[in-house]
């Protein structure tokens, strides 16, 4: 981690070399120094320090050193969030009355009238053509749970940054101070005229299913719940490439998915769409079985699918003889002995964060391909590979919705970014900074939207 220490030095008692020595002995590395206030007897400096073992020992060492006064300690993560992480900028300057009359009154009235007479012109004459609302109620934020709309806002701001940087989409964070399903649906419908798409985020299950389904049916713009479908798309992309590495076919494998919440259900649905014929969904009570009866509507849907197995059992029991394990649940559920009972050349996606279902060190001796949701291990399964390209595509073709064929096309496009020459056990999924990802996902989404009849515009590069 990196921290910034603001210190005041008494040059009669201590030199900067003494400061550097103190920090080094405490386990820190100085990466930069900024002089805030120079002086012969006293000076104030900001020192940026990489602290591998944490900041506490460094701070205490500074405090104990005579001639150094610790003014402040700043965590760079907090500094990056000061005042928020995004802002709105005009596309043109208003320099005089003539400019004002063009962009506001009286000139804007002509544009308002044109849109009133033909609402489709909102796409060409307003921000709608490039705008996405990133909406949450703060009930299922990261691994933090129900932390509310205020605390959820930094996550939505960060997502808006990624939308802009990776796909040049103007995204706006909107955190709603309500958990009422009907009120959330009504609010999103009310604000929808401004936006060309809706990205739902961090809404708890099972409410998220109804909210997305209703909005998709009642709005004429695409609605996408990233925790469900973004996760499912990137997992499917990873599985497609992992199967190539393992030398297996998707229609011949047995898949165990653990954690049947929003992400787990969508992963199951997408894998079935992709061609999986033997599926074992598992939650805390054990396997969800074909022919079973469940109160949860999505569990019941799974129980009605012919590809879902009828074998009952807990996770460790049903994992034996599986080719693929996908975990979107909680950490430390499995041991090396558990995954050793899977089939030869097994594939394990342990995506619980921050602690995966099984530690890589325990799994790797027994599996062919291992992936997590973490950035400090190879094969990070990250939603950031999905939503920028998906929305770039649906905005460019003005899609009415995002359907299942479009999602599967996005998964295949992400997988295709990794060439056969590059593909190996440690590299089944591209980096989020690979510029080909957004381009390939956009193209696949637009092509499929056109083929499935949901595109309302043909982009120039497709004519």
């Amino acid at each position: 981690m990196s921290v910034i220490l603001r210190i005041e030095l008494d040059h009669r008692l201590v030199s900067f070399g003494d400061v550097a020595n103190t920090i080094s002995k405490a386990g820190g590395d100085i990466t930069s120094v900024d002089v805030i206030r120079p002086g012969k007897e006293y000076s104030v400096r900001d020192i940026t320090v990489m602290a591998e073992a944490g900041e506490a020992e460094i701070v205490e060492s500074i405090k104990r050193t005579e001639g150094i006064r610790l003014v402040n300690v700043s965590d760079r993560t907090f500094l990056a969030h000061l005042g928020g992480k995004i802002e709105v900028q005009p596309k043109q300057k208003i320099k005089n009355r003539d400019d004002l009359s063009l962009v506001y009154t009286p000139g804007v009235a002509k544009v308002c009238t044109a849109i009133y007479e033909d609402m489709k012109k909102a796409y060409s004459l307003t921000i709608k053509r490039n705008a996405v609302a990133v909406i949450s109620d703060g009930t299922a934020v990261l691994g933090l749970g129900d932390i509310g709309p205020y605390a959820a806002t930094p996550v939505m701001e960060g997502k808006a940054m990624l939308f802009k940087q990776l796909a040049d989409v103007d995204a706006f964070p909107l955190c709603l101070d309500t958990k009422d399903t009907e009120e959330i649906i009504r609010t999103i419908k009310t604000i929808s005229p401004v936006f060309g798409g809706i990205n739902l985020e961090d809404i708890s299950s099972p409410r998220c299913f109804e909210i997305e389904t209703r909005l998709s049916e009642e709005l004429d713009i695409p609605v996408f719940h990233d925790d469900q479908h973004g996760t499912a798309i990137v997992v499917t992309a990873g599985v497609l490439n992992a199967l190539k590495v393992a030398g297996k076919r998707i229609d011949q494998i047995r898949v165990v998915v653990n954690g049947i919440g929003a992400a787990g259900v969508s992963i199951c649905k997408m894998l079935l769409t992709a061609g999986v014929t033997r599926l074992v969904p598992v939650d805390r009570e054990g396997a969800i079985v074909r022919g079973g009866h469940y109160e949860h509507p999505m569990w019941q849907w799974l129980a009605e699918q012919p590809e879902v197995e009828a074998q009952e059992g807990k996770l460790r029991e049903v994992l034996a003889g599986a080719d693929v394990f996908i975990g979107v649940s909680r950490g430390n559920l499995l041991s090396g002995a558990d995954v050793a009972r899977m089939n030869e050349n097994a594939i394990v996606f342990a995506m619980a964060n921050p602690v995966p279902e099984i530690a890589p060190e325990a799994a790797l001796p027994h599996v062919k391909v291992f992936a997590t949701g973490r950035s400090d291990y190879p094969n990070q399964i990250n939603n950031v590979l999905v939503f920028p390209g998906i929305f770039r595509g649906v905005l460019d073709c003005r899609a009415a919705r995002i359907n299942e064929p479009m999602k599967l096309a996005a998964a295949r496009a992400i997988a295709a970014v990794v060439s056969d020459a590059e593909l190996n056990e440690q590299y089944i999924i591209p980096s989020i900074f690979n510029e080909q990802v957004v381009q390939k996902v956009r193209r696949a989404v637009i092509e499929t939207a056109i083929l499935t009849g949901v595109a309302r515009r043909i982009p120039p590069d497709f004519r």
Side-chain angles (χ1 to χ4, degrees), residues 114-379:
I115 296 171
Y116 175 73
E117 292 172 350
D118 181 1
M119 281 196 297
K120 292 193 296 293
K121 289 185 177 179
Y123 279 100
S124 58
L125 297 173
T126 75
I127 198 172
K128 186 179 182 74
R129 69 186 299 172
N130 199 53
V132 169
V134 181
I135 300 178
S136 177
D137 63 357
T139 54
V141 181
L142 305 176
L144 303 172
D146 186 354
I147 60 174
Y150 291 93
T153 300
V155 179
M156 306 312 131
E157 284 186 5
K159 190 142 197 174
M161 292 176 71
L162 291 166
F163 263 116
K164 188 64 177 178
Q165 180 173 327
L166 298 176
D168 196 27
V169 170
D170 295 310
F172 297 82
L174 298 172
C175 294
L176 308 181
D177 195 7
T178 177
K179 298 179 186 179
D180 181 83
T181 297
E182 290 300 326
E183 189 172 7
I184 290 171
I185 293 169
R186 184 168 59 252
T187 300
I188 295 173
K189 288 175 65 176
T190 302
I191 65 170
S192 65
V194 177
F195 299 103
I198 304 292
N199 184 110
L200 301 175
E201 190 80 15
D202 295 342
I203 299 173
S204 62
S205 175
R207 296 157 53 252
C208 59
F209 297 110
E210 181 181 357
I211 290 170
E212 189 206 22
T213 300
R214 288 268 306 280
L215 288 171
S216 297
E217 292 171 350
E218 297 174 24
L219 289 176
D220 67 345
I221 56 175
V223 178
F224 187 78
H225 184 205
D226 191 44
D227 301 296
Q228 291 184 61
H229 308 301
T231 305
I233 289 166
V234 72
V235 164
T236 302
V239 168
L240 292 173
N241 277 345
L243 290 174
K244 290 181 182 179
V245 173
K248 300 188 179 189
R249 288 176 42 174
I250 197 165
D251 61 343
Q252 295 178 351
I253 58 171
R254 181 170 178 266
V255 182
V256 174
V257 179
N258 189 63
I260 310 302
V265 167
S266 293
I267 289 168
C268 289
K269 291 179 72 173
M270 179 148 286
L271 290 175
L272 293 177
T273 301
V276 167
T277 58
R278 298 177 65 196
L279 178 66
V280 186
V282 184
D283 211 78
R284 291 181 182 177
E285 302 304 315
I288 295 167
V289 298
R290 186 177 69 250
H293 298 284
Y294 303 95
E295 291 185 9
H296 192 304
M298 298 311 299
W299 291 16
Q300 185 58 42
W301 182 88
L302 285 168
E304 295 168 1
Q305 305 311 304
E307 298 88 351
V308 171
E309 293 188 355
Q311 171 189 348
E312 295 183 344
K314 298 293 186 180
L315 174 60
R316 284 186 168 89
E317 298 167 344
V318 299
L319 189 60
D323 297 282
V324 178
F325 168 79
I326 298 169
V328 278
S329 48
R330 54 190 176 87
N332 295 324
L333 290 177
L334 298 173
S335 66
D338 295 322
V339 298
R341 297 169 62 216
M342 296 175 67
N343 287 339
E344 188 178 355
N345 290 335
I347 297 165
V348 170
F349 284 20
M351 297 189 297
N353 260 327
V355 180
E357 286 82 357
I358 179 171
E361 296 77 14
L364 284 169
H366 309 288
V367 304
K368 183 71 171 178
V369 179
F370 184 84
T372 70
R374 294 175 50 143
S375 60
D376 52 348
Y377 293 115
N379 298 329

Side-chain angles (χ1 to χ4, degrees), residues 77-117:
T77 301
F78 280 89
L79 290 175
H81 288 74
L82 284 178
K85 304 188 293 292
I86 59 174
E87 63 183 6
V88 176
Q89 290 283 353
K91 296 170 85 171
Q92 54 188 294
K93 297 290 185 181
I94 302 172
K95 299 177 181 178
N96 50 49
R97 289 181 179 273
D98 188 46
D99 292 341
L100 179 63
S101 69
L102 286 174
V103 301
Y104 195 49
T105 183
V108 74
K110 294 167 61 178
V111 180
C112 295
T113 302
I115 296 171
Y116 175 73
E117 292 172 350

Side-chain angles (χ1 to χ4, degrees), residues 2 73 150 246 365:
S2 178
V73 180
Y150 291 93

Side-chain angles (χ1 to χ4, degrees), residues 49-71:
V49 179
M50 286 298 298
E52 294 296 334
E55 66 183 74
E57 187 174 344
I58 296 170
V59 168
E60 287 305 312
S61 297
I62 290 289
K63 287 179 177 178
R64 289 194 303 264
T65 304
E66 187 179 4
I68 305 175
R69 184 173 71 89
L70 184 63
V71 179

